[in-house]
Amino acid sequence: MIDEINRIIEKLEWEDGDEIVVEMAGTQVSGIDVGEVYNKKWQSPIGTRKYNKDAFIIISNQSRRDLTRSQPMDREHKPQHPYQPKKEVKKDET
């Protein structure tokens, strides 16, 4: 597995000094204390980790993340179709 991750890192041309994080996603941890007697088919003791059938691995390069915030436009905002409020419909009082 580590050899495969290293091949991916080389393919993406990441450098040795980059902070690379490998995470497992698609898992769940039981957060409910079910006590001593519980239905093992439907419940798990607190802290039990289950891996979903569609679990996956995330490999991210924290050194290359773009953390700059979005900037306001450098021009006036003029939408092609300006907003027009809907006309109020009055109900017939009969």
Side-chain angles (χ1 to χ4, degrees), residues 1-13:
M1 179 68 94
I2 293 174
D3 291 336
E4 290 181 50
I5 293 171
N6 286 332
R7 278 195 294 273
I8 292 169
I9 290 170
E10 287 176 15
K11 185 175 182 177
L12 294 172
E13 298 178 3

Side-chain angles (χ1 to χ4, degrees), residues 31-71:
I32 300 172
D33 187 9
V34 293
E36 296 290 324
V37 181
Y38 61 93
N39 184 339
K40 292 182 177 160
K41 181 176 181 181
W42 301 108
Q43 297 172 313
S44 302
I46 191 166
T48 303
R49 179 174 296 276
K50 291 183 179 179
Y51 297 94
N52 300 342
K53 291 181 180 178
D54 60 348
F56 53 96
I57 296 172
I58 300 170
I59 304 170
S60 59
N61 187 334
Q62 299 297 319
S63 302
R64 297 186 180 213
R65 285 183 59 197
D66 182 11
L67 297 175
T68 56
R69 295 182 177 175
S70 61
Q71 301 296 316

